Amino acid sequence: MNKSDIGLIGLGTMGAMLSLNIAEKGFAISVFNRTVARVDSFVKGAGSLASQITPARSLDEFVDTIAAPRAIIVMVPAGEAVDAQIAALRPLLNSDDLIIDAGNANFHDTNRRAAEATAVGASYLGIGVSGGEDGARHGPSIMGGGDRSNWGRVAHIFDAIAAKYQGKPCATWMGPGGAGHLVKTVHNGIEYADMQLIAEAYGVMRDGMNMTAPECGTVFGRWNRGILKSYLTEISAEVSNATDPTTGSPVLDIILDRAGQKGTGRWTVIESQQTGAPVPVIEAAVAARNMSAELTTRHVGEDLFGGVPQVLDRESLTLDDLEAALIVGKIMCYAQGFALLARVGTAHGWELPMSAIAETWREGCIIRSAMLNDMATALGEDPGRNLMFAPYFADLLRRNQAALRNVAAVAVAHGLPVPAMSAALGYFDTMRSARTTANMIQAQRDFFGAHSFERIDAQGSHHGPWGKA
């Protein structure tokens, strides 16, 4: 029988949609799922694409239906499930067969798996796939990592299924080992921050301006026609305007305020702490999700301290201020994300293609934004420069930073939580301060631990007079 061009294991939402995308682009694909009934239901629902799909009911059968040298995508939950799937596959494969982990893996795990594959002469790729269900089905952003020759074996398939920006596939090889999963992790960290910033703007409108969800939706829709045009702004307008069919109320009004997370934002923050590359807006976003889970505690807090914010004086804060504050916040979270990528890439000896990363995110992914074109240009001119210092973004910051300052001040004064906006402002103010207060910290460290300090007027390490009699 004719054999498939590629195989895929794991028919959850992302795996199923990616399989249909591959089949639709003209590639024959074999599929397998641990729960075999899922294989049958998937093929049954594939419609006209079923002729491109070969279902398998065992791993042996699955491997046998793929043309050698085989390429097999694994789409199972990150962690032990990936290791277990690789262990089950390896004895059935030849040395030149390629395993591709396309899940949300921790890039350190991907580094380990790539090294283990190399040690036994096997082939392995770790790729980040962004875009959610719709992106997987119609065109995701794909971030590849591993040996470049292995990427070259399957690049034609990934180019075909990826989102396109002005005809260019949003699929790029990022570097060896776990480079692709690193880029995807930081992508998700930026996603956390962008979502939190938008949520805080919504909170100011809802609680500080007494605006209804549809009124907020109108504002998001207007913002999506300007500099803030992005997927997240677009869907914020849609969800704000949606009506719950059961109650007739805005859907936002009946959703419990407890946000979930799958760990990638936390991984971004951990990597930031380990490498010393600050990402305070992302940290604030992760912390805000953690605090959202503290429902009982927050209700106790409201009973003790009161939780009803004061309604803002519309003259003290305008919707234009709020838009400008989001512009600054968005620049800050992307700037921090790219700075982290540069730092981690250097630590691992990877020359990450910074401009190409921005280009890969222009379509198909959750953080696609009109700003990414200018970010790609800025990173192409100087990959090591913080984005906030690039002329285009520096000009935006000069024109809009006063609005962020006003939003943060007014919101805090009226009891409205804006942790990500406050973190963005703190980052901006620190990064524009030639002299900070860290000299006090160094003095304290030297006082209690004799850690020494540097002087502004002499080279070398020095100690203060506090240790002398």
Side-chain angles (χ1 to χ4, degrees), residues 14 128-136 138-143 162-165 170-171 174 183-184 186-188 190-191 194 229-235 330 334 338 356-370 372:
M14 289 292 286
V129 179
S130 177
E133 179 180 356
D134 185 70
H138 300 291
S141 171
I142 301 174
M143 295 144 267
K164 307 296 188 298
Y165 181 84
C170 293
M174 301 299 176
V183 173
K184 177 57 164 56
V186 176
H187 163 288
N188 285 23
I190 294 171
E191 176 186 311
D194 206 352
K229 179 177 175 60
S230 68
Y231 175 72
L232 286 172
T233 307
E234 175 188 327
I235 68 169
K330 196 177 190 76
Y334 277 88
F338 278 108
I357 291 171
E359 291 177 349
T360 301
W361 291 345
R362 291 182 300 186
E363 286 291 348
C365 70
I366 304 300
I367 64 170
R368 58 187 182 267
S369 164
L372 281 164

Side-chain angles (χ1 to χ4, degrees), residues 277-444:
V279 292
V281 183
I282 299 173
E283 288 179 357
V286 173
R289 290 204 191 187
N290 291 335
M291 285 187 280
S292 79
E294 299 287 339
L295 281 171
T296 302
T297 303
R298 289 191 286 112
H299 280 277
V300 171
E302 180 167 330
D303 290 341
L304 278 172
F305 307 115
V308 180
Q310 303 174 38
V311 176
L312 304 179
D313 176 355
R314 287 296 187 96
E315 293 183 0
S316 67
L317 184 64
T318 68
L319 291 173
D320 287 343
D321 287 335
L322 208 51
E323 179 182 20
L326 268 184
I327 290 170
V328 177
K330 196 177 190 76
I331 294 170
M332 293 297 99
C333 71
Y334 277 88
Q336 291 166 22
F338 278 108
L340 175 61
L341 280 173
R343 182 75 61 86
V344 179
T346 298
H348 288 269
W350 299 335
E351 293 185 12
L352 297 176
M354 305 302 289
S355 180
I357 291 171
E359 291 177 349
T360 301
W361 291 345
R362 291 182 300 186
E363 286 291 348
C365 70
I366 304 300
I367 64 170
R368 58 187 182 267
S369 164
M371 287 188 185
L372 281 164
N373 252 339
D374 295 296
M375 291 180 183
T377 299
L379 291 165
E381 293 168 350
D382 187 349
R385 176 180 57 192
N386 189 304
L387 271 177
M388 65 183 289
F389 300 141
Y392 174 78
F393 295 105
D395 181 60
L396 281 176
L397 292 174
R398 277 190 291 266
R399 289 190 281 119
N400 293 292
Q401 60 94 11
L404 173 60
R405 199 172 301 283
N406 187 48
V407 169
V410 172
V412 169
H414 288 75
L416 295 164
V418 286
M421 289 189 183
S422 299
L425 182 59
Y427 181 80
F428 175 78
D429 283 341
T430 301
M431 295 302 283
R432 70 184 184 90
S433 298
R435 183 165 173 79
T436 67
T437 56
N439 54 318
M440 171 59 83
I441 294 171
Q442 285 299 87
Q444 293 169 336

Side-chain angles (χ1 to χ4, degrees), residues 200-290:
E200 290 174 15
Y202 159 71
V204 171
M205 289 189 284
R206 182 192 69 185
D207 300 326
M209 297 179 170
N210 266 342
M211 293 173 61
T212 65
E215 287 172 337
C216 295
T218 298
V219 174
F220 285 126
R222 183 170 73 248
W223 290 348
N224 195 49
R225 295 190 290 272
I227 293 176
L228 289 173
K229 179 177 175 60
S230 68
Y231 175 72
L232 286 172
T233 307
E234 175 188 327
I235 68 169
S236 297
E238 290 194 26
V239 299
S240 297
N241 286 315
T243 300
D244 175 43
T246 301
T247 63
S249 302
V251 173
L252 275 179
D253 292 351
I254 56 91
I255 296 176
L256 186 68
D257 58 323
R258 178 164 56 197
Q261 56 184 310
K262 293 186 176 179
T264 45
R266 189 180 298 118
W267 294 346
T268 305
V269 172
I270 291 170
E271 209 57 40
S272 160
Q273 295 298 325
Q274 289 180 335
T275 58
V279 292
V281 183
I282 299 173
E283 288 179 357
V286 173
R289 290 204 191 187
N290 291 335

Side-chain angles (χ1 to χ4, degrees), residues 9 32 56-64 84-85 88-89 92:
I9 297 174
F32 176 72
R57 290 162 183 81
S58 71
L59 269 184
D60 295 81
E61 179 188 359
F62 169 76
V63 169
D64 189 53
Q85 190 62 74
L89 269 175
L92 307 177

Side-chain angles (χ1 to χ4, degrees), residues 25-96:
K25 298 305 185 295
F27 299 100
I29 181 169
S30 295
V31 296
F32 176 72
N33 195 77
R34 186 179 61 176
T35 305
V36 177
R38 175 62 184 144
V39 177
D40 296 327
S41 63
F42 169 71
V43 175
K44 185 177 180 180
S48 61
L49 295 176
S51 61
Q52 289 286 108
I53 301 169
T54 300
R57 290 162 183 81
S58 71
L59 269 184
D60 295 81
E61 179 188 359
F62 169 76
V63 169
D64 189 53
T65 62
I66 306 167
R70 302 171 183 87
I72 296 171
I73 298 172
V74 175
M75 291 287 282
V76 300
E80 294 179 359
V82 177
D83 290 315
Q85 190 62 74
I86 292 171
L89 269 175
R90 282 285 182 224
L92 307 177
L93 302 181
N94 300 323
S95 60
D96 56 354

